[in-house]
Amino acid sequence: VAFARLAIGERLGAGSFGTVHAVTLDGGGRLALKRVSLAGLPAAQRDETLRAAKREVRALIRLIHLYIVRLYGVVVDEAGSVGMLLELAPRGSLRDLLDTSPAEVVGREAVQMELAANVVAAMAFLHEQTPPVLHHDLKSGNVLVFVTAAGALQAKLTDFGLSITASGSTLASTMRASGGTVAYQAPEQFDDIFTAASEVYAFAVIVWELLHGGRPWDGKNVAVISRAVDRGQRPAVTAADGVLRQLMADCWAQEPDARPTFAALETRLAVARRTFAASSFKLRYEATAEVAMQHTLWAAL
């Protein structure tokens, strides 16, 4: 897509990769332009940045899924950058939403279950590819939040610059752990090992964020986090017991083989959501207007 066809709007975010701006294409609907900056980079770093951008484009071209952000085009004629035109997420990332409006998620089980199920479905899809695709940087900052026609929140995965195709025919293939975000890293990653089970661990940390709203290991440095995780410690859990809390505990098990697959999680969440949606308690609770009576119902439960 020619850069001249775009009208650049407000900046939506920035990072080491470059910037994200809202844009309109040919005066039509709004999209997001992710600019990967190449200006001033040494040759080796420029080449690696281009390779990462190409990996993300290749991934988004072939990984078409309801809960994976859609790629609309690539901009290559702007000096000093390569751009990707993506779906515009009106609510930003899940991390943005939890930072600015935690009450929209925390304590709202139906919302939490929906967002968790969206992420699980997308990850199951990635891991079911032949060969499997590992995202390699699953975190709340890479989960974008959209709003459906019915007004419900919906999650979609983004940022596939670190995505890697697993070698071999099974998801047990071991890979060097390059990249990723420390707070979401599984115990084995601190030994430079990365598998599909490592991404299940990262999902558990996202579930922790859905339940608590805060930032995992907030204020702790890499050394402290790595020692704690290696000893089997996890971010402090204060959320009430429930489906997601139990699922989270299974997903961040110390041993990779003890963690469920995303395919198994997809089935588990589907059953839990059907049960919750059809429960007489949920119908009574949502039909209750008075807050005091809601608290009474919760206490009774």
Side-chain angles (χ1 to χ4, degrees), residues 56-245:
E56 183 163 9
V57 169
R58 283 196 297 266
L60 290 172
I61 285 174
R62 72 184 186 89
L63 299 173
I64 307 300
H65 190 273
L66 178 60
Y67 302 125
I68 292 177
V69 70
R70 181 179 173 187
L71 176 73
Y72 283 87
V74 181
V75 178
V76 296
D77 64 341
E78 183 186 14
S81 72
V82 173
M84 284 168 269
L85 284 171
L86 306 166
E87 282 183 276
L88 178 64
R91 305 304 304 274
S93 71
L94 176 58
R95 187 63 259 167
D96 294 334
L97 181 62
L98 292 172
D99 285 341
T100 59
S101 305
E104 291 190 55
V105 177
V106 179
R108 302 185 65 181
E109 186 175 7
V111 174
Q112 294 166 344
M113 297 263 280
E114 177 69 23
L115 296 175
N118 297 163
V119 174
V120 164
M123 290 304 301
F125 170 76
L126 293 182
H127 287 187
E128 289 164 359
Q129 299 301 300
T130 305
V133 173
L134 306 183
H135 185 285
H136 228 259
D137 195 18
L138 181 61
K139 60 183 180 181
S140 59
N142 285 338
V143 176
L144 298 184
V145 180
F146 294 76
V147 181
T148 68
L153 297 181
Q154 183 182 78
K156 298 189 182 188
L157 293 187
T158 190
D159 203 345
F160 286 79
L162 292 175
S163 65
I164 296 175
T165 300
S167 59
S169 59
T170 72
L171 285 172
S173 300
T174 299
M175 306 179 59
R176 302 292 289 179
S178 58
T181 303
V182 172
Y184 301 82
Q185 287 184 342
E188 64 273 12
Q189 288 184 257
F190 296 105
D191 292 326
D192 226 13
I193 296 170
F194 188 86
T195 69
S198 307
E199 303 206 300
V200 174
Y201 179 98
F203 169 70
V205 180
I206 293 175
V207 174
W208 182 90
E209 293 176 272
L210 289 172
L211 293 174
H212 298 84
R215 291 175 174 262
W217 302 112
D218 196 20
K220 302 292 193 297
N221 62 35
V222 174
V224 171
I225 295 172
S226 63
R227 283 197 300 270
V229 171
D230 189 56
R231 293 170 184 163
Q233 298 174 20
R234 302 292 184 262
V237 178
T238 59
D241 194 17
V243 171
L244 286 179
R245 177 169 167 168

Side-chain angles (χ1 to χ4, degrees), residues 107-110 276 279-299 301:
R108 302 185 65 181
E109 186 175 7
F276 178 73
S279 68
S280 59
F281 174 80
K282 176 177 180 288
L283 298 176
R284 286 179 64 198
Y285 182 79
E286 291 186 340
T288 303
E290 296 184 10
V291 174
M293 181 56 73
Q294 290 180 346
H295 292 324
T296 301
L297 285 171
W298 274 122
L301 179 65

